[in-house]
Amino acid sequence: MGEALQGLKRTIMCGELRESHVGNKYTVMGWVQRRRNLGGLEFVDLRDRTGILQVVFGEEINKETFEKADTVRSEYCIAVTGTLVKRESPNKEIPTGMVELKGEEIKILSESETPPIYIKENLDAGENIRLKYRYLDLRRPDMQKIFMIRHRAAKIVRDFLDENGFLEMETPILGKSTPEGARDYLVPSRNYPGKFYALPQSPQLFKQLLMMSGYDRYFQIAKCFRDEDLRANRQPEFTQIDMELSFVEEDDVIGLNERLVQKVFKEVAGVDVKLPIERMPYKIAMEKYGSDKPDLRFGMEINDLSEVVKDVDFKVFQDALANNGSVRAIKAENCAGMGRKQIDKLVDFVKGYGAKGLAWVAYKEDGIKSSIAKFLDEEQTKVVLDKIEAKVGDLVLIVADKNSVVFQSLGALRLHMAKELGILENNNEYRFVWITEFPLLSYNEEEERFQAEHHPFTSPMDEDIQYLESDPGRVRAKAYDIVLNGEELGGGSIRIHDIKLQQKMLGFLGFTEESAWESFGFLLEAFKYGAPPHGGLAFGFDRMVMFLAGTENIKDVITFPKNQNAFCPLTEAPNVVDDIQLKELGILMKEEEK
Amino acid sequence: MGEALQGLKRTIMCGELRESHVGNKYTVMGWVQRRRNLGGLEFVDLRDRTGILQVVFGEEINKETFEKADTVRSEYCIAVTGTLVKRESPNKEIPTGMVELKGEEIKILSESETPPIYIKENLDAGENIRLKYRYLDLRRPDMQKIFMIRHRAAKIVRDFLDENGFLEMETPILGKSTPEGARDYLVPSRNYPGKFYALPQSPQLFKQLLMMSGYDRYFQIAKCFRDEDLRANRQPEFTQIDMELSFVEEDDVIGLNERLVQKVFKEVAGVDVKLPIERMPYKIAMEKYGSDKPDLRFGMEINDLSEVVKDVDFKVFQDALANNGSVRAIKAENCAGMGRKQIDKLVDFVKGYGAKGLAWVAYKEDGIKSSIAKFLDEEQTKVVLDKIEAKVGDLVLIVADKNSVVFQSLGALRLHMAKELGILENNNEYRFVWITEFPLLSYNEEEERFQAEHHPFTSPMDEDIQYLESDPGRVRAKAYDIVLNGEELGGGSIRIHDIKLQQKMLGFLGFTEESAWESFGFLLEAFKYGAPPHGGLAFGFDRMVMFLAGTENIKDVITFPKNQNAFCPLTEAPNVVDDIQLKELGILMKEEEK
């Protein structure tokens, strides 16, 4: 059992000590990063949240202390009292490197076995062992930096929104399961056997109700839940900066939130975000980048070749054009020399996105090579190269198909090529863009019905309401996403606040009047009593922190994350529970059939 | 469908306008509190979150606007642009009462049916209708004040803890079910049919792990969950201000938190809290007030009569004393005249707390009356009256039993008498007290085992560790509760950070070594790697807001609360879900047997 503090107080943190502190007596507490005996002295690197301090113990300072110091090992938790002195051989690598503490007294607060993972930056250990010993993994300085960044970011967000008239309000975690959206996590009710609460996928309906209630500006840093199969960078529970404002239009929400983003990125990461952030309509984003979250840090934009190839006698092109599709291409600069095998891999790559093939034209110094030379004569090929402004050395990659496939495959190919070519290596840019004018509805061909592109509560654009009946697919929404370096950082919309329009929307989504009332009756009812115009936005806070901390793994920014199977190797949740608990809930488990 | 904003911006909030604004043009937006036609003018009281503003419309200002204003009704949501003028007949009742807005333009943003509840302060409506139309209930100014207070309090707490080196860190909602404590809400796992997550009753284990991880000072305003039958002022989900600190002892946690309390109560409610807050050991609190959350706003303390009645030949007294119990009393001043029926009610009252009876002595002007005159002669009775310092007119109420019953019944009787006598009416005091030196373990006679008075991770006091084996019931804990006006506002403890002591504690609580590892293995394992001394505290944030807002109903401080059956009359959660959802979870429901 370790020694007790018994009134001993820490007087300063390890990482704070500088030359200006020399000559004073301090008590520091922390963990032994390492201890070594050198020239008859014991040197201990002592670590706390703020950094590392060298502590030196010598027989001449205090013999008893010196002998005790000799017994400490890595990760022992100790308290040391001593006088700060200038260091004879400074260590320029660490901020405290000019000084060291002469250890006069030591308490061993608790001992440590050899930890199963190293407590050091940039640990190269398997995910499972890191998660199983998460409390040790979290002890590593690079992890600690991330959670200090996360705290700082949340604080700045809260300060900013408070200054701008927002109230932070909590909404229920035990909510109601609603259709639309992802799969809910369910919570069986004990009072009503057979009935269930659902954990919220977002506080969407509640925040809209708070606007009906006149709270004017609401926000919450809110836990949200989705019981989905976990792709990389998804977690079953995640955190949103969720907000809603009354009496606003798109420009108000966008304007406020870009100031928020500017402040957070400046104060946490020292990144300057120039305002206003560029805005790009969805249609342009798709046509130029094949994506509604375009990475604008590099060009390689998609070109429409439909017009210049419309007379080419090539069935693939003609079929695409005849079916309302298009022929489009990207240009990979200085890639004309790419070998056949490499190009074949690109063909396979776009097939993974639904394209039937990938045509290519290599503008080599010794002439043009092309996979479609049979169909395009030299003149026609030149027209294509001119259209896309290809220079000698460039490789043109062409997809002809229906537009959704063209965009998806060329958008993905563009990112793939940038990665292959190392275009973004050492790129420190933070390229923000607002994507606007999203389609309100998209047609789900499998289910043969429209579905909401954002969610069923998004308002159509005023000028497009006229097409709601005649051409629903044409209607654009008052929706906006904020995209950073090709990742969605947040998104939102102006909401419908009119009962008739909301009912019409739900009708498009396949709800009968009855099922609409069953699922969303309380919202529709609320619209009857003077609902204000309102809109909002939610940022993915985990992703924001990933950007601020410079990590690409969502598990790095969550204290105790789950693995790919939504399992926690540390606590072993989920786990079996007492039969009595299930009995109280009226639940039986199906026998496993495998 | 209402009119659209179409670029119209609100320029100020209703409640902000004062005489200094006169002469300027403003656009305000809000809800019609009422409209009346008076002397050919339309007067509209327009309400937003900040207050009410009178808007006046006249034919001479703008005829079209005037006619439109005539169509608005209560709770219509409107926007008005006009010039602020001084009011001819000021209304001193409201802050904006010196001015009014001359309405030059009006937009009806949305209409309202007649609301099912009045939108006014101090509404006297049934709970069920208030919860069903919660979005209207929340529109009432007194409810809006509460949520502004709640936001403010949370902000101040976060600012204070940030300034004091705390990091706000989120811990999982999808956790593991552990024994001890209340009943968990369970969440079935889809990946592991038959296994369950549990919603946290508190982040206790995670925050201790964060201390092992070296985060030094953690806090979180955290949602917690208990699936218990709901007494008044309990909700299935509630909010804690949860914190944990490393390298601290009791005084550190207490000292920091009383400064936090002082700041919040001063800044939110204008209440001065004098520091240091009084501290009272558990034993004293029980002996003087019969409660570990004593209300110190009034006296009527419990007196021990055991010594002075030890020779009285009254079986009830003698039995109590022989069984290690006691004879104790409170003195109700000026109550000697209480009638027999009233006293009988007091007898029934204490029986509800397990007492077998209640003896009384009335010190009337015309002599002493007593329910135990048969057993106590006049001299013995005088000794009792002297001991309790009774004066003429006082009523002495005596319970003899084992101590737990004596304390519980007299503690409750003391509060009951104070209420009956109106002692606390118009009392605006905020009497804080720290209760310290709680017993570590209490013996559960039904289950014939010890249980943790706080929780299994609380450290015993150093000086009492010696009794752990020989007399576990005697061991006091490093635990502390903060009590305000007889209600527990928060509590915490210094934790065990030694694996052997923790295992011993779990042993007392009936865990085998195996079951201890099964439930808490990850914590025990963490103790092996240099666990720091640590401790913490959690405030009930809902209750804190109740005090700050001056309400006694927890539902008033929660945006969308559940009713007594853990049901939400607004959203109708919990509810049935699709069979496919249950199938995916491998769940069958037992047929209801009723």
Side-chain angles (χ1 to χ4, degrees):
Chain A
M1 199 167 157
E3 292 173 86
L5 289 172
Q6 290 181 300
L8 185 67
K9 306 265 186 213
R10 177 173 63 187
T11 59
I12 200 161
M13 304 280 281
C14 292
E16 292 172 1
L17 288 160
R18 296 289 182 277
E19 279 190 88
S20 61
H21 298 95
V22 163
N24 299 324
K25 199 159 178 169
Y26 295 103
T27 299
V28 290
M29 304 188 186
W31 287 265
V32 175
Q33 182 70 35
R34 62 168 181 165
R35 179 187 58 79
R36 58 206 192 285
N37 188 306
L38 216 71
L41 296 171
E42 293 287 348
F43 291 89
V44 167
D45 286 349
L46 191 66
R47 188 191 70 235
D48 68 18
R49 198 178 87 186
T50 62
I52 281 180
L53 175 71
Q54 177 164 295
V55 185
V56 58
F57 299 92
E59 229 168 330
E60 285 150 47
I61 309 171
N62 182 323
K63 187 160 189 291
E64 195 189 332
T65 299
F66 172 74
E67 282 166 1
K68 206 156 142 195
D70 186 55
T71 69
V72 309
R73 290 154 183 276
S74 286
E75 300 309 318
Y76 273 39
C77 182
I78 63 173
V80 182
T81 302
T83 304
L84 198 74
V85 297
K86 243 185 110 163
R87 199 157 148 179
E88 271 176 36
S89 46
N91 175 357
K92 299 248 162 87
E93 303 288 303
I94 57 172
T96 64
M98 300 300 290
V99 297
E100 64 187 8
L101 195 73
K102 286 179 78 164
E104 292 154 20
E105 282 170 66
I106 184 172
K107 278 197 181 196
I108 295 173
L109 301 172
S110 74
E111 301 181 354
S112 175
E113 296 183 6
T114 304
I117 60 172
Y118 284 109
I119 312 299
K120 63 165 195 179
E121 304 217 343
N122 304 314
L123 178 72
D124 184 24
E127 179 178 289
N128 215 52
I129 194 162
R130 283 183 58 195
L131 293 185
K132 181 169 162 55
Y133 294 97
R134 184 65 167 176
Y135 46 88
L136 295 176
D137 191 41
L138 287 172
R139 214 180 257 187
R140 299 190 301 106
D142 41 2
M143 293 302 280
Q144 297 196 335
K145 259 175 234 149
I146 290 174
F147 289 99
M148 288 189 252
I149 284 172
R150 188 172 175 119
H151 164 73
R152 201 79 230 115
K155 185 70 173 55
I156 291 165
V157 166
R158 286 194 162 97
D159 289 350
F160 177 89
L161 292 174
D162 176 63
E163 283 158 21
N164 281 277
F166 286 78
L167 300 178
E168 183 159 18
M169 302 178 80
E170 298 169 52
T171 53
I173 297 290
L174 295 170
K176 184 190 178 188
S177 187
T178 52
E180 294 290 299
R183 193 187 289 108
D184 286 320
Y185 276 106
L186 298 179
V187 181
S189 158
R190 191 169 49 87
N191 289 340
Y192 302 92
K195 296 193 173 184
F196 294 81
Y197 305 97
L199 304 185
Q201 296 181 29
S202 90
Q204 184 63 33
L205 293 174
F206 288 115
K207 70 177 177 175
Q208 291 193 236
L209 289 175
L210 288 175
M211 295 302 99
M212 320 284 160
S213 298
Y215 286 85
D216 211 84
R217 296 185 160 202
Y218 141 97
F219 86 100
Q220 185 179 197
I221 299 189
K223 269 284 172 75
C224 305
F225 306 84
R226 282 181 201 164
D227 187 8
E228 291 295 326
D229 298 322
L230 300 179
R231 285 184 267 154
N233 283 335
R234 285 277 181 106
Q235 283 281 309
E237 55 183 296
F238 55 97
T239 305
Q240 283 186 356
I241 304 169
D242 190 51
M243 70 180 77
E244 194 78 6
L245 303 78
S246 291
F247 305 115
V248 293
E249 296 178 290
E250 294 100 305
D251 280 354
D252 302 302
V253 181
I254 287 176
L256 181 112
N257 277 290
E258 59 188 28
R259 286 193 292 125
L260 171 60
V261 162
Q262 184 184 50
K263 194 175 165 85
V264 172
F265 277 77
K266 179 69 186 174
E267 293 190 13
V268 178
V271 172
D272 283 305
V273 180
K274 294 229 168 47
L275 300 192
I277 288 170
E278 179 181 356
R279 298 190 201 177
M280 186 182 287
Y282 172 87
K283 187 166 181 287
I284 304 294
M286 293 308 287
E287 287 179 357
K288 286 175 83 169
Y289 304 99
S291 167
D292 60 359
K293 36 188 187 188
D295 189 337
L296 303 188
R297 288 176 299 171
F298 65 100
M300 212 191 292
E301 290 157 13
I302 299 170
N303 264 266
D304 190 352
L305 305 179
S306 305
E307 186 58 31
V308 301
V309 303
K310 72 171 190 289
D311 298 324
V312 169
D313 185 20
F314 177 30
K315 188 169 182 308
V316 174
F317 288 4
Q318 290 307 326
D319 282 356
L321 295 174
N323 290 314
N324 235 341
S326 56
V327 181
R328 300 181 199 245
I330 58 171
K331 173 183 74 185
E333 290 178 4
N334 304 314
C335 289
M338 230 181 213
R340 189 60 195 245
K341 275 195 181 163
Q342 283 174 289
I343 292 184
D344 284 348
K345 276 191 189 161
L346 300 182
V347 177
D348 287 344
F349 180 85
V350 296
K351 284 183 178 167
Y353 290 86
K356 287 185 280 290
L358 179 73
W360 53 268
V361 180
Y363 194 171
K364 297 194 175 186
E365 263 183 54
D366 56 352
I368 294 164
K369 283 222 163 185
S370 161
S371 67
I372 46 174
K374 263 191 281 184
F375 310 104
L376 269 73
D377 60 27
E378 202 178 312
E379 199 184 330
Q380 287 171 317
T381 307
K382 279 256 168 77
V383 173
V384 164
L385 292 174
D386 276 358
K387 169 73 184 162
I388 203 166
E389 294 175 14
K391 294 186 304 293
V392 172
D394 293 349
L395 174 69
V396 177
L397 302 162
I398 307 168
V399 173
D401 215 313
K402 60 182 178 182
N403 284 330
S404 61
V405 170
V406 172
F407 291 145
Q408 203 173 18
S409 55
L410 283 179
L413 184 62
R414 174 179 173 268
L415 294 177
H416 179 73
M417 291 302 292
K419 204 171 161 190
E420 290 285 298
L421 301 172
I423 287 177
L424 291 173
E425 268 168 35
N426 304 317
N427 181 312
N428 297 320
E429 249 186 302
Y430 288 75
R431 264 310 275 283
F432 289 91
V433 58
W434 287 103
I435 307 300
T436 59
E437 300 179 29
F438 280 85
L440 181 70
L441 301 157
S442 57
Y443 194 72
N444 185 323
E445 290 178 10
E446 266 175 55
E447 300 185 21
E448 294 188 332
R449 62 166 186 122
F450 280 103
Q451 61 191 23
E453 184 77 16
H454 265 63
H455 55 57
F457 315 107
T458 299
S459 174
M461 286 174 68
D462 298 332
E463 52 268 56
D464 289 359
I465 287 187
Q466 53 181 316
Y467 308 117
L468 258 181
E469 311 284 352
S470 58
D471 188 2
R474 177 180 176 172
V475 177
R476 290 164 302 163
K478 293 182 179 174
Y480 31 78
D481 277 1
I482 183 166
V483 170
L484 169 54
N485 293 353
E487 304 253 21
E488 185 190 326
L489 201 61
S493 64
I494 300 299
R495 327 298 183 186
I496 297 168
H497 67 281
D498 177 83
I499 188 169
K500 292 214 184 67
L501 185 55
Q502 185 66 69
Q503 282 175 311
K504 190 178 286 183
M505 260 303 277
L506 293 171
F508 280 121
L509 305 176
F511 285 88
T512 62
E513 200 181 322
E514 201 192 336
S515 69
W517 274 92
E518 208 168 274
S519 295
F520 303 111
F522 55 101
L523 183 72
L524 297 173
E525 180 74 19
F527 283 155
K528 291 183 183 170
Y529 305 103
H534 63 288
L537 181 139
F539 289 102
F541 186 54
D542 305 302
R543 180 158 297 162
M544 186 184 280
V545 175
M546 287 163 68
F547 272 111
L548 293 169
T551 175
E552 290 182 354
N553 185 349
I554 195 173
K555 296 191 189 79
D556 285 345
V557 303
I558 291 179
T559 52
F560 299 98
K562 306 284 191 294
N563 70 13
Q564 294 287 111
N565 297 320
F567 176 77
C568 173
L570 170 66
T571 61
E572 300 186 335
N575 215 314
V576 291
V577 296
D578 280 351
D579 285 342
I580 192 166
Q581 285 177 279
L582 300 186
K583 207 173 157 191
E584 286 178 319
L585 298 170
I587 280 182
L588 297 171
M589 294 312 302
K590 238 182 275 184
E591 292 304 315
E592 266 188 89
E593 281 156 42
K594 301 178 214 178
Chain B
M1 200 167 155
E3 294 174 85
L5 288 172
Q6 288 182 300
L8 184 68
K9 306 266 186 210
R10 178 174 62 188
T11 58
I12 201 161
M13 303 281 279
C14 292
E16 291 172 2
L17 289 160
R18 297 288 182 280
E19 279 191 88
S20 60
H21 297 94
V22 163
N24 299 324
K25 200 161 178 170
Y26 294 102
T27 298
V28 290
M29 305 188 185
W31 287 265
V32 174
Q33 182 70 35
R34 64 168 180 164
R35 180 187 58 80
R36 60 207 190 286
N37 189 305
L38 216 71
L41 297 171
E42 293 286 349
F43 290 90
V44 166
D45 286 348
L46 191 67
R47 189 191 68 235
D48 68 18
R49 198 178 86 187
T50 61
I52 282 180
L53 175 71
Q54 176 163 298
V55 185
V56 58
F57 299 92
E59 229 168 329
E60 284 150 48
I61 309 171
N62 182 323
K63 187 160 188 291
E64 196 187 333
T65 298
F66 172 73
E67 282 166 1
K68 207 157 142 194
D70 185 54
T71 69
V72 308
R73 290 154 183 276
S74 285
E75 300 309 318
Y76 272 40
C77 183
I78 64 173
V80 182
T81 303
T83 304
L84 198 75
V85 297
K86 242 185 111 164
R87 198 156 149 180
E88 271 175 37
S89 46
N91 175 356
K92 299 247 163 86
E93 303 287 303
I94 58 172
T96 64
M98 300 301 290
V99 295
E100 66 187 7
L101 196 72
K102 285 178 77 165
E104 293 153 19
E105 283 170 64
I106 185 171
K107 277 197 182 197
I108 295 173
L109 301 171
S110 73
E111 301 180 355
S112 174
E113 296 183 8
T114 303
I117 60 172
Y118 284 108
I119 312 300
K120 62 165 196 179
E121 305 219 342
N122 304 314
L123 178 71
D124 184 24
E127 178 178 289
N128 216 52
I129 195 162
R130 284 183 58 195
L131 293 184
K132 182 168 161 56
Y133 294 97
R134 185 64 167 178
Y135 46 88
L136 295 176
D137 191 41
L138 287 172
R139 216 181 255 186
R140 299 191 300 107
D142 41 1
M143 293 301 280
Q144 296 196 335
K145 259 175 236 150
I146 290 174
F147 289 99
M148 289 188 252
I149 284 172
R150 189 172 175 120
H151 164 73
R152 199 80 230 115
K155 185 71 173 56
I156 291 165
V157 166
R158 286 193 163 98
D159 289 350
F160 177 89
L161 292 174
D162 176 64
E163 284 158 21
N164 281 278
F166 286 78
L167 301 177
E168 183 158 17
M169 302 178 80
E170 298 168 51
T171 53
I173 297 290
L174 295 170
K176 183 190 179 187
S177 187
T178 51
E180 295 289 301
R183 194 186 288 108
D184 286 320
Y185 276 105
L186 299 179
V187 181
S189 159
R190 191 169 48 88
N191 289 340
Y192 301 94
K195 295 192 173 184
F196 293 80
Y197 305 97
L199 304 185
Q201 295 181 29
S202 89
Q204 183 63 33
L205 294 173
F206 288 115
K207 71 176 176 175
Q208 291 193 237
L209 289 175
L210 289 175
M211 295 302 99
M212 320 283 160
S213 298
Y215 286 84
D216 211 86
R217 295 185 161 204
Y218 140 96
F219 86 100
Q220 185 179 197
I221 300 188
K223 269 282 172 77
C224 304
F225 305 84
R226 282 181 201 164
D227 186 8
E228 291 296 327
D229 297 321
L230 300 179
R231 285 184 268 152
N233 283 335
R234 285 277 180 107
Q235 282 281 307
E237 55 183 296
F238 55 98
T239 305
Q240 283 186 355
I241 303 169
D242 189 52
M243 69 180 77
E244 195 77 7
L245 303 77
S246 290
F247 306 116
V248 292
E249 296 179 290
E250 294 100 304
D251 279 354
D252 302 302
V253 182
I254 286 177
L256 180 112
N257 276 290
E258 57 188 28
R259 287 193 292 124
L260 171 59
V261 162
Q262 183 184 50
K263 194 175 164 85
V264 172
F265 276 77
K266 180 70 187 172
E267 294 191 12
V268 178
V271 172
D272 284 306
V273 180
K274 295 227 167 49
L275 301 190
I277 288 171
E278 179 181 355
R279 298 189 201 177
M280 186 182 288
Y282 171 87
K283 187 166 180 287
I284 304 294
M286 293 308 287
E287 287 179 357
K288 286 174 83 170
Y289 304 99
S291 168
D292 59 0
K293 35 188 188 189
D295 189 337
L296 302 188
R297 288 175 299 170
F298 65 100
M300 213 192 290
E301 289 157 13
I302 299 171
N303 265 265
D304 191 351
L305 305 178
S306 306
E307 186 59 32
V308 301
V309 301
K310 72 170 191 290
D311 297 326
V312 170
D313 185 19
F314 177 31
K315 188 169 184 306
V316 174
F317 288 4
Q318 290 306 327
D319 281 358
L321 295 173
N323 289 314
N324 235 340
S326 55
V327 180
R328 298 180 200 245
I330 58 171
K331 173 183 74 186
E333 289 177 6
N334 304 314
C335 290
M338 230 179 212
R340 190 60 195 247
K341 275 194 181 161
Q342 282 173 291
I343 292 184
D344 283 348
K345 277 191 188 160
L346 300 181
V347 177
D348 286 345
F349 180 86
V350 296
K351 283 184 178 167
Y353 290 85
K356 288 184 280 290
L358 179 71
W360 53 269
V361 180
Y363 194 170
K364 297 193 176 188
E365 263 183 55
D366 56 352
I368 294 164
K369 283 222 162 183
S370 161
S371 68
I372 45 174
K374 265 191 279 185
F375 312 105
L376 269 72
D377 60 27
E378 203 178 312
E379 197 183 333
Q380 286 171 318
T381 307
K382 279 255 167 79
V383 172
V384 164
L385 291 174
D386 277 356
K387 169 73 184 162
I388 203 166
E389 293 175 16
K391 293 186 306 292
V392 172
D394 293 350
L395 175 69
V396 176
L397 301 162
I398 307 168
V399 174
D401 214 312
K402 60 183 177 182
N403 285 331
S404 60
V405 170
V406 171
F407 292 145
Q408 204 173 16
S409 54
L410 283 180
L413 184 62
R414 174 179 172 268
L415 295 177
H416 179 74
M417 292 303 292
K419 206 172 158 189
E420 291 285 297
L421 301 173
I423 288 178
L424 291 173
E425 268 168 35
N426 305 315
N427 181 312
N428 297 318
E429 250 186 301
Y430 287 75
R431 262 310 275 283
F432 289 91
V433 57
W434 287 103
I435 306 301
T436 60
E437 300 179 29
F438 280 85
L440 182 70
L441 300 156
S442 57
Y443 194 70
N444 184 324
E445 290 178 9
E446 266 175 54
E447 300 184 20
E448 293 188 335
R449 64 167 185 120
F450 280 102
Q451 61 191 24
E453 184 77 16
H454 265 63
H455 55 57
F457 315 107
T458 299
S459 174
M461 285 174 68
D462 297 332
E463 52 268 56
D464 289 359
I465 287 187
Q466 53 182 314
Y467 308 118
L468 257 181
E469 312 284 354
S470 58
D471 189 2
R474 175 179 177 172
V475 178
R476 290 164 301 163
K478 294 181 179 174
Y480 31 79
D481 277 2
I482 183 165
V483 171
L484 168 54
N485 293 353
E487 303 254 21
E488 187 191 324
L489 201 61
S493 64
I494 300 299
R495 327 299 182 185
I496 297 168
H497 67 281
D498 177 83
I499 187 169
K500 291 214 183 68
L501 185 55
Q502 186 66 69
Q503 283 175 312
K504 190 177 287 183
M505 259 303 277
L506 293 172
F508 280 121
L509 305 176
F511 285 87
T512 63
E513 199 180 323
E514 201 190 338
S515 69
W517 275 91
E518 209 169 274
S519 296
F520 304 111
F522 56 100
L523 183 73
L524 297 173
E525 180 75 20
F527 282 155
K528 291 183 183 169
Y529 305 103
H534 64 287
L537 181 139
F539 289 102
F541 186 54
D542 305 301
R543 179 159 296 164
M544 186 184 281
V545 176
M546 286 163 67
F547 272 112
L548 294 169
T551 175
E552 289 182 357
N553 185 348
I554 194 172
K555 296 191 189 80
D556 285 345
V557 304
I558 292 178
T559 52
F560 299 96
K562 306 282 192 294
N563 71 14
Q564 294 287 112
N565 297 320
F567 176 77
C568 173
L570 170 67
T571 61
E572 301 185 335
N575 214 316
V576 292
V577 296
D578 281 351
D579 284 343
I580 191 164
Q581 285 177 279
L582 299 186
K583 206 172 158 192
E584 286 178 318
L585 298 170
I587 280 183
L588 296 171
M589 294 312 302
K590 237 182 276 184
E591 292 304 316
E592 266 189 87
E593 281 155 43
K594 303 179 210 170

